[in-house]
Amino acid sequence: MANWRELGGGTSVLATEPLRLNIGLVVGTERALVVDTGEGPRQAAEVLAAVREKTELPLVVVNTHAHYDHYFGNAAFAAAGVTEFYAHENAAATIAQVRDAGTAAGGEREAVADTEPEMAAGEGENTEIVVPTAIVRDQPVLVDLGGVSVTLFYLGRGHTDGDLLVGTSSTLFSGDLVEEGAPPAFEDSYPEEWADVLRHISALRHRYEHLVPGHGGLCSDATVRTMADTMATAVRSARQATRETPDDATKAIPILPYGPEQSRLFIQRLKGSALR
Ligand SMILES: [Zn+2]
């Protein structure tokens, strides 16, 4: 039996390996909604089997954002009859780019060479990239599952430019805007706006009993506030260091509250967003 954790109100969460990715499930009387699909057909098959232990209802899918571990399993869900895939418009645009890039070297598919070799090669069943067509923009979208509804909403750019939040009567699924047990992933991020989004999540937190991060264990509000404060402080420190030595922003790396690799990405992304 799959290791589901019940969160109340028809909501549950499945912790998966190897990335401690959290898969969400919300079950109504007519349909059930799955949050994120895993990193390829192998993992998606396991997730689907786990979902089918809980419900035989038709499924809809939400991809919280356009990182491979959250949507590479879509094709397996499409093969299982899912036609409604939700994502933020920016995430859908990025996923379409990954689809169009095929198996080019340096592409997103390379990330799963070890765990999902068929997906990496783009060969075999359920290895195509399925781009969400149920698009969420700035306005929240309510998905009615029959007696249970789920709100999909966007709080602005953060971990990526298209992070969707998924709110149920008991639980907020944050995608990788919040991660437990790992430093924030800055690769495609907008650090200054991300700190604001985290404050916004904290302000909404009282509405939800549980917060499920993209990876790792459930998070308290204190975790989210610490993450927000740390990021806001890092933004200030990096900006100040950049003012003092404009030619060498890497000078700020030792003073930032992240490891060297995270700090390098952080500065790169902070400089990038300042130019926009
Ligand atoms: Zn991510």
Side-chain angles (χ1 to χ4, degrees):
M1 292 287 284
N3 192 20
W4 288 103
R5 176 167 174 180
E6 301 296 328
L7 301 175
T11 304
S12 41
V13 62
L14 178 71
T16 66
E17 292 299 337
L19 299 173
R20 302 177 79 215
L21 172 75
N22 289 316
I23 303 285
L25 179 67
V26 192
V27 181
T29 57
E30 289 161 23
R31 303 192 291 174
L33 176 141
V34 177
V35 182
D36 290 332
T37 59
E39 60 184 39
R42 295 184 185 210
Q43 185 169 42
E46 289 172 19
V47 170
L48 257 168
V51 166
R52 285 311 180 205
E53 287 177 9
K54 301 277 288 177
T55 177
E56 289 295 332
L57 288 170
L59 303 174
V60 297
V61 161
V62 181
N63 297 129
T64 55
H65 63 292
H67 281 156
Y68 68 91
D69 43 329
H70 301 265
Y71 74 89
F72 270 13
N74 283 5
F77 282 78
V82 176
T83 56
E84 233 171 288
F85 291 86
Y86 287 90
H88 185 264
E89 60 178 338
N90 295 341
T94 301
I95 294 171
Q97 282 169 14
V98 171
R99 178 198 56 196
D100 297 344
T103 54
E108 190 85 339
R109 283 181 186 261
E110 273 188 2
V112 296
D114 293 337
T115 50
E116 300 269 359
E118 300 83 5
M119 191 69 195
E123 289 168 4
E125 258 180 45
N126 303 330
T127 57
E128 61 275 27
I129 302 279
V130 173
V131 180
T133 53
I135 298 300
V136 181
R137 296 185 174 85
D138 290 345
Q139 294 302 313
V141 168
L142 200 72
V143 182
D144 182 5
L145 304 174
V148 169
S149 60
V150 174
T151 310
L152 312 180
F153 61 102
Y154 181 64
L155 294 176
R157 303 191 299 187
H159 170 66
T160 68
D161 64 0
D163 304 291
L164 265 195
L165 292 108
V166 181
T168 80
S169 63
S170 67
T171 304
L172 182 62
F173 292 92
S174 69
D176 291 355
L177 286 166
V178 183
E179 287 191 52
E180 185 273 322
F186 289 115
E187 284 81 349
D188 301 317
S189 73
Y190 299 84
E192 192 160 22
E193 291 156 85
W194 192 352
D196 290 340
V197 169
L198 288 167
R199 293 218 167 94
H200 201 152
I201 291 173
S202 176
L204 294 172
R205 185 63 175 77
H206 66 280
R207 294 191 194 170
Y208 306 97
E209 193 179 338
H210 306 288
L211 189 149
V212 176
H215 302 261
L218 303 195
C219 288
S220 67
D221 182 39
T223 303
V224 176
R225 268 185 285 142
T226 301
M227 202 179 155
D229 291 345
T230 303
M231 213 175 283
T233 304
V235 168
R236 276 197 301 276
S237 306
R239 289 235 187 278
Q240 182 164 1
T242 311
R243 270 196 300 275
E244 287 163 5
T245 52
D247 301 331
D248 187 7
T250 56
K251 286 249 168 61
I253 288 178
I255 60 167
L256 292 179
Y258 305 112
E261 176 60 14
Q262 272 83 39
S263 296
R264 193 185 58 75
L265 285 166
F266 176 90
I267 288 168
Q268 204 177 60
R269 295 298 303 183
L270 192 62
K271 280 174 74 181
S273 50
L275 296 173
R276 262 179 280 271

